[in-house]
Amino acid sequence: MSGRSGFWTQALAIAKRDLLIESRGGEVFGVVLPFAAVAVFVVPLATDALATRLDQLAYPVYWLVGLLFGLQVALRQTGTETMIQRRTLALLGIDPAARFAGRSLAAALLMTGVMVAIAPLIVLFYDPRAIPAIGPSLLAVVGFAIGLSMLSTLAGDVTVGLRTRSSLAPLIVAPISVPLLIGASQTFESLILDRSTMAPALLLTVTVLSLAVTGVLTAPALEDATT
Amino acid sequence: MTKRMVLPTLSAAAIAYALWLALDSSPDVFQGDFVRIMYVHVPSSWLAFLAFGVTALGSALWLWRKTIVWDRIAEASAEIGVIFTALAILTGAIWGEPVWGTYWDWGDARMASTALMLFVYLGYLALRRATPDPVARAKRSSILGLIAVVQVPLVYFSVSFWRTLHQGMTVRPDGIQMDGSMVAALLGGLAAFTLLYLALMVERVRLARIEDANTLSDGVAAGTAITAPDLDGIS
């Protein structure tokens, strides 16, 4: 890969590398996804079937599982770069912003896959009162996945090489991801209630764009800090 | 009085005066004497916003100038901001029970977003604790310091974005909807807490400088302990 290649060429090459590692290791779809399915299944078991209305829990459980297991996808062991890998990429002249974009893109694709896969389980086990229109809902899920993957990539990079990384990165991501969660879940709610989705969709879009700008602008400093 | 004691003494005097203003002000028509808690709660919240803003500024200046003092300022301000945020949450809960009938309401946007802001900065401090090397610590935490500050406008404008339990802004560009003695107590509290913030900042930055000097001198001590062997008299 030449240092003179374009931003998107580098970003796509990094994303392709991450997806290739995932296809070989199968951590997301072989481990994280089944674990997420178990989590979806455990909630009805842990609640009193006579006293709890599961249909009301459907979407909160969906977004909660999406957030927690989305974090697992973004911070997966097989997707973690070692210091040597990071230094090699830096020496090869890879644009740190392209690295951030590529890693976020790969994580967003995997995260969207997990969230799409658990959606039928939510419908099956929880029988929600209404299902929002598929097209706009998918857009909300994709927006959420892109935002969470960028945030997790940033947090993963900030904590790379630390002994407490596995607990510290989620501690950083979870509170900051709230605007994403509100934007995406309120979009669903608005679609179900047939209200305007403008405000939540705008919140989601602005948050995703802010994270993209922050990620690109801080990428060189972050590379300097962690190589 | 030494120069070092000027700010702490001033802040102590200001806090005593603010307390007198708070106790001397008129009770609220609806809240009664419970309104006096607001003279601690509101300045605590404002100082938390200021402290986290200073953390972001210190982080940005560290990234730009790479001068360690900016990292010390960012760290000190974050620690003090966490204390002020916790104080704001605590006083808000104490006030909320008699006035709203509940210590805490998860459905309230201001309460929930303030709690999340606290967690974000606890994460910031945890990141600093987890990174022993001072330069690596400064580099990593400066980036998080810049990202974390997005919580501040979110918390501040939460009462405008979402109409939940927490009341809207009392102090607005078009004026303050309060009695004169209440305004005096509020501004007195704000001035006193600002002086307290400055006094704590100066002391915490001084402490950070001593910690850094200690870390460096530890390194020197270990270095001088290992010297070349004395071979005099050995044939």
mmCIF file of all heavy atoms in Angstrom, chain B residues 125-152:
data_model
loop_
_atom_site.group_PDB
_atom_site.id
_atom_site.type_symbol
_atom_site.label_atom_id
_atom_site.label_comp_id
_atom_site.label_asym_id
_atom_site.label_seq_id
_atom_site.Cartn_x
_atom_site.Cartn_y
_atom_site.Cartn_z
ATOM 1 N N LEU B 125 -10.970 10.483 34.518
ATOM 2 C CA LEU B 125 -10.022 10.350 35.630
ATOM 3 C C LEU B 125 -9.495 8.916 35.729
ATOM 4 O O LEU B 125 -8.324 8.709 36.053
ATOM 5 C CB LEU B 125 -10.678 10.779 36.945
ATOM 6 C CG LEU B 125 -11.048 12.271 37.027
ATOM 7 C CD1 LEU B 125 -11.757 12.582 38.345
ATOM 8 C CD2 LEU B 125 -9.812 13.159 36.889
ATOM 9 N N ALA B 126 -10.366 7.933 35.414
ATOM 10 C CA ALA B 126 -9.926 6.530 35.439
ATOM 11 C C ALA B 126 -8.863 6.298 34.367
ATOM 12 O O ALA B 126 -7.882 5.575 34.604
ATOM 13 C CB ALA B 126 -11.119 5.605 35.215
ATOM 14 N N LEU B 127 -9.049 6.926 33.204
ATOM 15 C CA LEU B 127 -8.045 6.797 32.135
ATOM 16 C C LEU B 127 -6.708 7.361 32.605
ATOM 17 O O LEU B 127 -5.653 6.780 32.362
ATOM 18 C CB LEU B 127 -8.525 7.531 30.873
ATOM 19 C CG LEU B 127 -7.523 7.567 29.716
ATOM 20 C CD1 LEU B 127 -7.315 6.187 29.120
ATOM 21 C CD2 LEU B 127 -7.985 8.533 28.625
ATOM 22 N N ARG B 128 -6.741 8.481 33.294
ATOM 23 C CA ARG B 128 -5.500 9.093 33.791
ATOM 24 C C ARG B 128 -4.818 8.175 34.810
ATOM 25 O O ARG B 128 -3.617 7.989 34.775
ATOM 26 C CB ARG B 128 -5.793 10.456 34.426
ATOM 27 C CG ARG B 128 -6.287 11.502 33.453
ATOM 28 C CD ARG B 128 -6.246 12.869 34.081
ATOM 29 N NE ARG B 128 -4.876 13.294 34.320
ATOM 30 C CZ ARG B 128 -4.157 14.038 33.488
ATOM 31 N NH1 ARG B 128 -4.692 14.473 32.382
ATOM 32 N NH2 ARG B 128 -2.917 14.365 33.776
ATOM 33 N N ARG B 129 -5.626 7.589 35.706
ATOM 34 C CA ARG B 129 -5.053 6.693 36.720
ATOM 35 C C ARG B 129 -4.439 5.447 36.072
ATOM 36 O O ARG B 129 -3.490 4.879 36.595
ATOM 37 C CB ARG B 129 -6.135 6.229 37.702
ATOM 38 C CG ARG B 129 -6.793 7.313 38.508
ATOM 39 C CD ARG B 129 -5.932 7.759 39.683
ATOM 40 N NE ARG B 129 -6.583 8.830 40.415
ATOM 41 C CZ ARG B 129 -6.622 10.113 40.036
ATOM 42 N NH1 ARG B 129 -6.026 10.481 38.904
ATOM 43 N NH2 ARG B 129 -7.232 11.029 40.763
ATOM 44 N N ALA B 130 -5.017 5.021 34.947
ATOM 45 C CA ALA B 130 -4.553 3.777 34.311
ATOM 46 C C ALA B 130 -3.298 3.978 33.475
ATOM 47 O O ALA B 130 -2.724 3.009 32.989
ATOM 48 C CB ALA B 130 -5.677 3.209 33.444
ATOM 49 N N THR B 131 -2.898 5.228 33.262
ATOM 50 C CA THR B 131 -1.726 5.491 32.410
ATOM 51 C C THR B 131 -0.600 6.050 33.276
ATOM 52 O O THR B 131 -0.633 7.231 33.639
ATOM 53 C CB THR B 131 -2.092 6.503 31.297
ATOM 54 O OG1 THR B 131 -3.390 6.188 30.791
ATOM 55 C CG2 THR B 131 -1.092 6.495 30.170
ATOM 56 N N PRO B 132 0.410 5.232 33.608
ATOM 57 C CA PRO B 132 1.443 5.715 34.521
ATOM 58 C C PRO B 132 2.397 6.742 33.909
ATOM 59 O O PRO B 132 2.835 7.660 34.605
ATOM 60 C CB PRO B 132 2.200 4.443 34.924
ATOM 61 C CG PRO B 132 1.718 3.349 34.053
ATOM 62 C CD PRO B 132 0.547 3.807 33.282
ATOM 63 N N ASP B 133 2.708 6.591 32.617
ATOM 64 C CA ASP B 133 3.669 7.507 32.000
ATOM 65 C C ASP B 133 3.044 8.903 31.824
ATOM 66 O O ASP B 133 1.989 9.034 31.195
ATOM 67 C CB ASP B 133 4.104 6.952 30.643
ATOM 68 C CG ASP B 133 5.067 7.895 29.949
ATOM 69 O OD1 ASP B 133 6.149 8.132 30.512
ATOM 70 O OD2 ASP B 133 4.722 8.421 28.873
ATOM 71 N N PRO B 134 3.683 9.968 32.373
ATOM 72 C CA PRO B 134 3.055 11.296 32.337
ATOM 73 C C PRO B 134 2.769 11.821 30.918
ATOM 74 O O PRO B 134 1.724 12.429 30.694
ATOM 75 C CB PRO B 134 4.061 12.200 33.052
ATOM 76 C CG PRO B 134 4.974 11.300 33.783
ATOM 77 C CD PRO B 134 4.964 9.991 33.090
ATOM 78 N N VAL B 135 3.691 11.569 29.994
ATOM 79 C CA VAL B 135 3.497 12.103 28.635
ATOM 80 C C VAL B 135 2.372 11.333 27.924
ATOM 81 O O VAL B 135 1.475 11.937 27.324
ATOM 82 C CB VAL B 135 4.811 12.047 27.825
ATOM 83 C CG1 VAL B 135 4.587 12.556 26.414
ATOM 84 C CG2 VAL B 135 5.884 12.859 28.523
ATOM 85 N N ALA B 136 2.403 10.000 28.035
ATOM 86 C CA ALA B 136 1.330 9.197 27.419
ATOM 87 C C ALA B 136 -0.020 9.550 28.038
ATOM 88 O O ALA B 136 -1.035 9.650 27.343
ATOM 89 C CB ALA B 136 1.619 7.712 27.609
ATOM 90 N N ARG B 137 0.003 9.780 29.355
ATOM 91 C CA ARG B 137 -1.236 10.137 30.062
ATOM 92 C C ARG B 137 -1.796 11.464 29.528
ATOM 93 O O ARG B 137 -2.980 11.585 29.254
ATOM 94 C CB ARG B 137 -0.933 10.251 31.552
ATOM 95 C CG ARG B 137 -2.143 10.580 32.405
ATOM 96 C CD ARG B 137 -1.811 10.427 33.868
ATOM 97 N NE ARG B 137 -0.763 11.339 34.286
ATOM 98 C CZ ARG B 137 0.204 11.036 35.145
ATOM 99 N NH1 ARG B 137 0.276 9.828 35.652
ATOM 100 N NH2 ARG B 137 1.112 11.921 35.484
ATOM 101 N N ALA B 138 -0.898 12.420 29.353
ATOM 102 C CA ALA B 138 -1.333 13.732 28.860
ATOM 103 C C ALA B 138 -1.894 13.623 27.442
ATOM 104 O O ALA B 138 -2.928 14.221 27.118
ATOM 105 C CB ALA B 138 -0.164 14.706 28.900
ATOM 106 N N LYS B 139 -1.225 12.824 26.604
ATOM 107 C CA LYS B 139 -1.666 12.695 25.206
ATOM 108 C C LYS B 139 -3.047 12.058 25.127
ATOM 109 O O LYS B 139 -3.939 12.550 24.451
ATOM 110 C CB LYS B 139 -0.663 11.825 24.428
ATOM 111 C CG LYS B 139 0.635 12.519 24.083
ATOM 112 C CD LYS B 139 1.579 11.541 23.414
ATOM 113 C CE LYS B 139 2.873 12.219 22.978
ATOM 114 N NZ LYS B 139 3.841 11.264 22.449
ATOM 115 N N ARG B 140 -3.198 10.939 25.832
ATOM 116 C CA ARG B 140 -4.476 10.215 25.746
ATOM 117 C C ARG B 140 -5.618 11.021 26.361
ATOM 118 O O ARG B 140 -6.692 11.152 25.792
ATOM 119 C CB ARG B 140 -4.368 8.875 26.492
ATOM 120 C CG ARG B 140 -3.510 7.852 25.796
ATOM 121 C CD ARG B 140 -3.261 6.684 26.720
ATOM 122 N NE ARG B 140 -2.228 5.793 26.227
ATOM 123 C CZ ARG B 140 -2.438 4.559 25.813
ATOM 124 N NH1 ARG B 140 -3.645 4.080 25.813
ATOM 125 N NH2 ARG B 140 -1.445 3.813 25.401
ATOM 126 N N SER B 141 -5.363 11.549 27.569
ATOM 127 C CA SER B 141 -6.467 12.218 28.272
ATOM 128 C C SER B 141 -6.850 13.544 27.617
ATOM 129 O O SER B 141 -7.992 13.973 27.739
ATOM 130 C CB SER B 141 -6.122 12.409 29.747
ATOM 131 O OG SER B 141 -4.945 13.146 29.865
ATOM 132 N N SER B 142 -5.903 14.185 26.912
ATOM 133 C CA SER B 142 -6.253 15.452 26.259
ATOM 134 C C SER B 142 -7.308 15.205 25.168
ATOM 135 O O SER B 142 -8.213 16.025 24.976
ATOM 136 C CB SER B 142 -5.013 16.120 25.676
ATOM 137 O OG SER B 142 -4.402 15.270 24.746
ATOM 138 N N ILE B 143 -7.182 14.072 24.490
ATOM 139 C CA ILE B 143 -8.169 13.767 23.433
ATOM 140 C C ILE B 143 -9.539 13.481 24.061
ATOM 141 O O ILE B 143 -10.565 13.999 23.608
ATOM 142 C CB ILE B 143 -7.670 12.587 22.578
ATOM 143 C CG1 ILE B 143 -6.442 13.057 21.781
ATOM 144 C CG2 ILE B 143 -8.753 12.085 21.632
ATOM 145 C CD1 ILE B 143 -5.571 11.962 21.269
ATOM 146 N N LEU B 144 -9.520 12.698 25.141
ATOM 147 C CA LEU B 144 -10.799 12.418 25.809
ATOM 148 C C LEU B 144 -11.385 13.690 26.427
ATOM 149 O O LEU B 144 -12.605 13.883 26.422
ATOM 150 C CB LEU B 144 -10.604 11.335 26.875
ATOM 151 C CG LEU B 144 -11.871 10.849 27.563
ATOM 152 C CD1 LEU B 144 -12.893 10.338 26.557
ATOM 153 C CD2 LEU B 144 -11.575 9.760 28.580
ATOM 154 N N GLY B 145 -10.512 14.555 26.925
ATOM 155 C CA GLY B 145 -10.978 15.832 27.501
ATOM 156 C C GLY B 145 -11.714 16.676 26.475
ATOM 157 O O GLY B 145 -12.680 17.363 26.798
ATOM 158 N N LEU B 146 -11.261 16.595 25.233
ATOM 159 C CA LEU B 146 -11.926 17.352 24.159
ATOM 160 C C LEU B 146 -13.255 16.712 23.759
ATOM 161 O O LEU B 146 -14.223 17.396 23.450
ATOM 162 C CB LEU B 146 -11.015 17.436 22.932
ATOM 163 C CG LEU B 146 -9.881 18.461 23.003
ATOM 164 C CD1 LEU B 146 -9.004 18.370 21.773
ATOM 165 C CD2 LEU B 146 -10.452 19.872 23.128
ATOM 166 N N ILE B 147 -13.287 15.369 23.750
ATOM 167 C CA ILE B 147 -14.525 14.670 23.361
ATOM 168 C C ILE B 147 -15.586 14.820 24.459
ATOM 169 O O ILE B 147 -16.761 15.063 24.182
ATOM 170 C CB ILE B 147 -14.245 13.166 23.095
ATOM 171 C CG1 ILE B 147 -13.274 13.007 21.921
ATOM 172 C CG2 ILE B 147 -15.538 12.410 22.811
ATOM 173 C CD1 ILE B 147 -12.750 11.598 21.750
ATOM 174 N N ALA B 148 -15.136 14.703 25.719
ATOM 175 C CA ALA B 148 -16.083 14.676 26.847
ATOM 176 C C ALA B 148 -16.850 15.984 27.007
ATOM 177 O O ALA B 148 -17.967 15.988 27.513
ATOM 178 C CB ALA B 148 -15.332 14.349 28.137
ATOM 179 N N VAL B 149 -16.248 17.092 26.558
ATOM 180 C CA VAL B 149 -16.884 18.397 26.808
ATOM 181 C C VAL B 149 -18.216 18.554 26.055
ATOM 182 O O VAL B 149 -19.017 19.432 26.403
ATOM 183 C CB VAL B 149 -15.894 19.542 26.485
ATOM 184 C CG1 VAL B 149 -15.796 19.821 24.999
ATOM 185 C CG2 VAL B 149 -16.272 20.810 27.241
ATOM 186 N N VAL B 150 -18.491 17.687 25.080
ATOM 187 C CA VAL B 150 -19.787 17.773 24.382
ATOM 188 C C VAL B 150 -20.958 17.551 25.350
ATOM 189 O O VAL B 150 -22.079 17.966 25.076
ATOM 190 C CB VAL B 150 -19.911 16.767 23.204
ATOM 191 C CG1 VAL B 150 -18.888 17.036 22.136
ATOM 192 C CG2 VAL B 150 -19.821 15.336 23.690
ATOM 193 N N GLN B 151 -20.655 16.912 26.489
ATOM 194 C CA GLN B 151 -21.717 16.678 27.481
ATOM 195 C C GLN B 151 -22.208 17.993 28.103
ATOM 196 O O GLN B 151 -23.351 18.088 28.514
ATOM 197 C CB GLN B 151 -21.181 15.777 28.606
ATOM 198 C CG GLN B 151 -20.905 14.363 28.179
ATOM 199 C CD GLN B 151 -22.161 13.537 28.104
ATOM 200 O OE1 GLN B 151 -23.050 13.679 28.914
ATOM 201 N NE2 GLN B 151 -22.246 12.668 27.127
ATOM 202 N N VAL B 152 -21.314 18.981 28.185
ATOM 203 C CA VAL B 152 -21.659 20.228 28.894
ATOM 204 C C VAL B 152 -22.838 20.961 28.235
ATOM 205 O O VAL B 152 -23.835 21.227 28.904
ATOM 206 C CB VAL B 152 -20.415 21.129 29.058
ATOM 207 C CG1 VAL B 152 -20.795 22.488 29.628
ATOM 208 C CG2 VAL B 152 -19.400 20.448 29.971
#
